[in-house]
């Protein structure tokens, strides 16, 4: 039994007129720009929602959290405004590393037409200094299974309650986290204190202006915790 459930995802951006339509098309979601600042990408269930949060700071370093997407072709992503960083055939991989219109890295997995879903979110990938430790932490928080490979220290969460896409992958990197992640997730929990007790930290408590708590996991990855309505 976990102490939190997945709610939705957020992507920081400087220009919502670039980021919003791009990610809506890349993920197969609707684009709602009624809010005067942030934009909301909507799917057929609330858990597919992606908030485009407008921030002043530009991207400066490689993202420690990135999205993997299903794609019909690389050309369709390029036409939307993406750029190619590492083609699949150049490195013998079955995915290409690309960047969104603001330089945020993501990976594109090209699918055959009969295997291409309408909802294009594939996986979430989190760079980690200690992948097994932080993957196990989130597995305990969500109350889900942990999978992994000892040989390359690659770990993943399986069947996360409420997550409408594939696994979360925690992959090893040598460099520590230095700046705020531009992609984060929101969770719903009965108790912020319960998250703190297992190792999360509070970055900004909820108050009269903010009705959610900004938190960080043991490796510093930001997430927001909402109490049930």
């Amino acid at each position: 039994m976990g102490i939190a459930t997945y709610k939705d995802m957020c992507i920081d951006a400087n220009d919502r007129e670039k980021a919003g339509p791009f990610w809506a098309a890349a993920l197969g979601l609707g684009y709602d720009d009624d809010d005067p600042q942030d934009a909301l990408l909507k799917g057929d269930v609330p858990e597919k929602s992606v908030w485009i949060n407008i921030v002043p700071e530009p991207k400066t370093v490689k993202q420690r959290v990135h999205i993997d997407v299903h794609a019909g072709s690389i050309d369709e992503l390029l036409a939307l405004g993406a750029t190619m960083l590492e083609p699949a055939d150049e490195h013998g991989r079955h995915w290409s590393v690309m960047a969104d219109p603001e330089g945020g890295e993501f990976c594109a997995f090209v699918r055959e037409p009969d295997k291409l879903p309408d909802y294009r979110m594939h996986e979430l990938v989190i760079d980690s200094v200690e992948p097994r430790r932080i993957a196990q932490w989130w597995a305990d928080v969500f109350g889900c299974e942990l999978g992994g490979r000892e040989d390359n220290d690659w770990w993943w969460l399986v069947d996360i309650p409420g997550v409408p896409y594939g696994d979360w992958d925690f992959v090893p990197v040598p460099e520590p986290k230095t700046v705020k992640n531009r992609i984060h997730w929101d969770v719903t929990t009965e108790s912020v204190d319960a998250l703190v007790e297992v190792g999360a930290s509070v970055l900004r408590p909820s108050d009269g202006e903010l009705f959610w708590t900004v938190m960080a996991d043991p490796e510093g990855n930001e997430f927001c915790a909402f109490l049930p309505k």
Side-chain angles (χ1 to χ4, degrees):
M1 183 71 176
I3 59 174
T5 56
Y6 180 85
K7 184 176 182 293
D8 52 31
M9 188 166 61
C10 302
I11 300 174
D12 286 354
N14 302 127
D15 185 343
R16 76 171 187 171
E17 299 307 319
K18 288 183 178 180
F22 172 83
W23 281 114
L27 294 174
L29 297 172
Y31 178 47
D32 181 352
D33 63 351
D34 290 341
D35 188 284
Q37 180 172 347
D38 300 332
L40 174 61
L41 313 186
K42 294 181 176 179
D44 56 358
V45 295
E47 292 80 6
K48 290 181 181 177
S49 299
V50 177
W51 289 94
I52 304 298
N53 293 338
I54 304 308
V55 298
E57 61 274 12
K59 177 184 179 291
T60 56
V61 299
K62 174 180 175 287
Q63 297 190 139
R64 290 183 75 81
V65 178
H66 75 261
I67 294 169
D68 289 349
V69 303
H70 302 287
S73 71
I74 295 301
D75 286 342
E76 71 179 22
L77 292 169
L78 294 173
L80 291 173
T83 55
M84 176 61 72
L85 300 179
E86 298 178 9
D89 55 5
E90 193 173 283
H91 295 273
R93 300 169 175 161
H94 53 281
W95 66 89
S96 293
V97 182
M98 306 188 73
D100 67 21
E102 292 192 347
E105 298 87 358
F106 69 97
C107 293
F109 292 70
V110 175
R111 308 302 189 194
E112 296 297 327
D114 62 338
K115 295 182 179 179
L116 182 65
D118 292 333
Y119 177 50
R120 305 291 182 87
M121 180 72 184
H122 176 31
E123 294 176 327
L124 194 67
V125 182
I126 300 121
D127 288 356
S128 311
V129 175
E130 296 182 87
R132 182 169 191 168
R133 173 174 173 264
I134 194 61
Q136 184 65 67
W137 190 85
W138 278 106
D140 293 341
V141 165
F142 285 137
C144 67
E145 293 183 25
L146 175 69
R149 290 180 54 181
E150 294 277 3
D151 60 335
N152 62 2
D153 202 19
W154 191 303
W155 303 89
W156 53 85
L157 307 188
V158 182
D159 296 329
I160 309 167
V163 170
Y165 49 86
D167 301 339
W168 282 20
D169 293 344
F170 294 81
V171 301
V173 295
E175 67 274 4
K177 181 176 181 292
T178 57
V179 300
K180 175 179 175 285
N181 290 340
R182 292 180 74 83
I183 295 177
H184 76 267
W185 51 89
D186 298 335
V187 304
T188 302
T189 182
E190 295 286 345
S191 171
V192 169
D193 289 341
L195 289 166
V196 172
E197 287 172 5
V198 297
S201 55
V202 173
L203 303 181
R204 181 180 174 185
S206 61
D207 52 32
E209 180 181 350
L210 202 68
F211 58 90
W212 59 88
T213 301
V214 182
M215 308 190 74
D217 70 15
E219 281 212 359
N221 297 302
E222 299 84 2
F223 66 97
C224 294
F226 290 72
L227 296 177
K229 292 183 180 179

